[in-house]
Amino acid sequence: MSQQRVAILTAGGYAPCLSSAVGALIETYTRVSPETEILAYRHGYHGLLTGNSVLVDEQTRQGAALLHRFGGSPIGNSRVKLTNDEDCRKRGLIGPDQTALEAAADRLVADGVTVLHTIGGDDTNTAAADLAAYLRERQVDLTVVGLPKTIDNDIVPIRQSLGAQTAAEQAAIFARNVLAEHGSNPRMLIVHEVMGRNCGWLTASAARSYLAWHAEQEWLPSIGLTPERWGIHAVYVPEMHIDLDAEAARLHKVMDEIGCVNIFLAEGAGVPDIVAAMEAEGKKVERDPFGHVKLDTINPGKYFAKAFGHRIGAEKQMVQKSGYFSRSAAANDTDLALIRQMAELAVDCALRGVAGVIGNDEDRGDELRAVEFERIAGHKAFDVTQPWFTDLLSSIGQPIT
């Protein structure tokens, strides 16, 4: 095969796989196709539109393994929607008479890119597919091979997205310190807010990881070190309705019995109800370029802390968010293995001209393959009827609804 130039970009929110995925792609190309040039666009589609890129040199190739030790992304991320020309124009990423797709396509052609590796979620990868289709209309051949990144693990039809398992583990580690605050005041209410706009997988998995750690500990009840006070008393995810009155009555009993209440809350849990209430009051609900509600402007953790606080007789409320702690971590061993496996196939597909998003295809018996872009979608719901999750809820005394 003749020499070609591939490009890599990471986009969207961070996940504990980006640095490692970039490293794995560089390592794999260096091993199987050392003549292939590698270009990295800085800050995702932002760099693609502005021409901000770096050519991977020999020093980076030889030191690529170092990237597995770090979280974040060495080439940077951003949230840019290629089909939102108005936002791109407002941010100065494209000219007054350009479309984002046109500007991105022109840059790829000018840079001589024949393969584009996108490391991101459904928005990132479907945008790349739109870009490839646009180039085909202009008779420019570009193969797009994506890697699935999201800590929510909600990409359809991919069984496991990169970074999610690490993020769940890190959220559980974060909770070990946060839940220690249960003794910092009498009748303490702690809300551990976990990322997860539309999917409860991360919150549920973080709770499972925390409870696995909890089960291994030794306790000293005579002085007040009890498993009950270090436990989880509620887990709320977007896929479940939260009956505030019923839950308040249940948690009030917990507060009376042990003197604290600890909640794991997905940031998207109950959001439709919160938004409806705000809009009914005439309040403006801010949204990002993708149309997503800006969760930091409605603050779900604070909302539920306030909603439960007076109902359960809490003297003090604390809300702690593990999102940035979790999403910026380095990949754990489980994710590293999956990253390496997916990167190997991504490079193989790229060299053979096979486009798609690499992942275990749930509709094809979990086969690891390049999933067709038209089948990629976001917001895969977490199945709250799974035995492990219903067992978890039963173990903490929460009704299964």
Side-chain angles (χ1 to χ4, degrees):
M1 173 176 253
S2 59
Q3 182 178 10
Q4 62 178 331
R5 173 177 284 188
V6 306
I8 300 172
L9 62 81
T10 60
Y14 268 2
C17 64
L18 298 175
S19 183
S20 185
V22 171
L25 287 172
I26 294 172
E27 286 179 306
T28 305
Y29 273 111
T30 300
R31 188 180 72 255
V32 304
S33 183
E35 72 279 3
T36 296
E37 291 186 332
I38 305 171
L39 187 73
Y41 288 107
R42 295 191 181 278
H43 301 292
Y45 290 123
H46 191 289
L48 176 57
L49 291 174
T50 59
N52 185 4
S53 63
V54 58
L55 192 64
V56 174
D57 60 14
E58 188 61 26
Q59 181 182 15
T60 302
R61 286 177 182 270
Q62 296 305 314
L66 292 174
L67 297 177
H68 298 302
R69 303 179 187 177
F70 293 88
S73 172
I75 56 177
N77 279 35
S78 67
R79 292 188 182 275
V80 174
K81 190 172 180 66
L82 289 183
T83 53
N84 190 336
D85 293 333
E86 182 181 353
D87 180 67
C88 289
R89 198 167 289 117
K90 181 180 178 181
R91 295 165 67 177
L93 301 178
I94 59 175
D97 300 320
Q98 282 183 307
T99 67
L101 283 174
E102 177 186 19
D106 287 346
R107 174 57 54 187
L108 289 167
V109 170
D111 288 343
V113 173
T114 55
V115 172
L116 176 62
H117 286 292
T118 53
I119 308 170
D122 61 294
D123 284 328
T124 297
N125 286 306
T126 53
D130 291 339
L131 183 56
Y134 180 84
L135 283 163
R136 281 196 298 273
E137 291 175 4
R138 293 175 51 179
Q139 297 184 329
V140 176
D141 187 24
L142 176 75
T143 301
V144 180
V145 183
L147 291 176
K149 173 277 311 176
T150 170
I151 61 175
D152 295 336
N153 194 32
D154 66 345
I155 302 176
V156 177
I158 292 173
R159 186 193 67 201
Q160 187 67 53
S161 60
L162 299 176
Q165 295 175 99
T166 302
E169 178 183 80
Q170 290 294 315
I173 292 171
F174 180 90
R176 296 179 197 175
N177 288 1
V178 169
L179 267 56
E181 290 283 339
H182 70 259
S184 63
N185 200 82
R187 299 186 71 85
M188 186 76 171
L189 169 61
I190 298 176
V191 178
H192 171 204
E193 185 177 323
V194 184
M195 282 186 170
R197 175 185 297 277
N198 298 294
C199 177
W201 183 92
L202 180 61
T203 301
S205 296
R208 177 169 60 171
S209 181
Y210 177 84
L211 290 175
W213 168 82
H214 183 275
E216 295 176 348
Q217 306 313 305
E218 296 182 74
W219 307 101
L220 195 61
S222 59
I223 193 64
L225 182 65
T226 69
E228 292 81 12
R229 290 171 65 83
W230 281 81
I232 299 173
H233 308 119
V235 177
Y236 300 131
V237 297
E239 294 83 357
M240 297 175 65
H241 172 66
I242 304 172
D243 186 330
L244 283 175
D245 292 331
E247 278 296 276
R250 181 179 72 86
L251 294 175
H252 199 298
K253 292 179 181 179
V254 175
M255 182 68 83
D256 288 345
E257 290 173 4
I258 67 173
C260 67
V261 167
N262 304 320
I263 296 173
F264 272 45
L265 172 76
E267 63 181 354
V271 165
D273 294 333
I274 301 173
V275 169
M278 290 178 64
E279 291 179 336
E281 295 174 3
K283 296 179 181 178
K284 182 181 179 182
V285 178
E286 295 185 37
R287 289 176 166 80
D288 66 17
F290 294 91
H292 303 147
V293 172
K294 290 186 175 180
L295 293 175
D296 59 338
T297 64
I298 64 172
N299 209 329
K302 184 177 179 181
Y303 173 87
F304 281 103
K306 182 178 179 181
F308 280 127
H310 72 277
R311 284 179 169 92
I312 67 175
E315 287 193 14
K316 185 178 179 181
Q317 306 159 16
M318 173 181 286
V319 179
Q320 292 292 310
K321 303 179 181 183
S322 60
Y324 292 110
F325 178 88
S326 300
R327 76 178 199 169
S328 296
N332 67 11
D333 289 342
T334 303
D335 264 318
L336 279 173
L338 190 60
I339 289 166
R340 292 182 188 280
Q341 188 180 29
M342 287 192 182
E344 291 277 348
L345 183 56
V347 171
D348 178 67
C349 287
L351 295 176
R352 292 187 291 113
V354 178
V357 180
I358 304 300
N360 295 94
D361 192 335
E362 292 182 307
D363 296 333
R364 305 284 177 87
D366 283 342
E367 176 190 356
L368 184 63
R369 58 187 299 273
V371 180
E372 297 77 9
F373 281 107
E374 59 269 20
R375 295 176 54 222
I376 296 295
H379 314 320
K380 178 173 65 177
F382 171 62
D383 181 3
V384 297
T385 67
Q386 294 177 83
W388 73 261
F389 184 62
T390 57
D391 289 347
L392 185 154
L393 294 184
S394 295
S395 73
I396 65 175
Q398 182 176 337
I400 301 167
T401 58

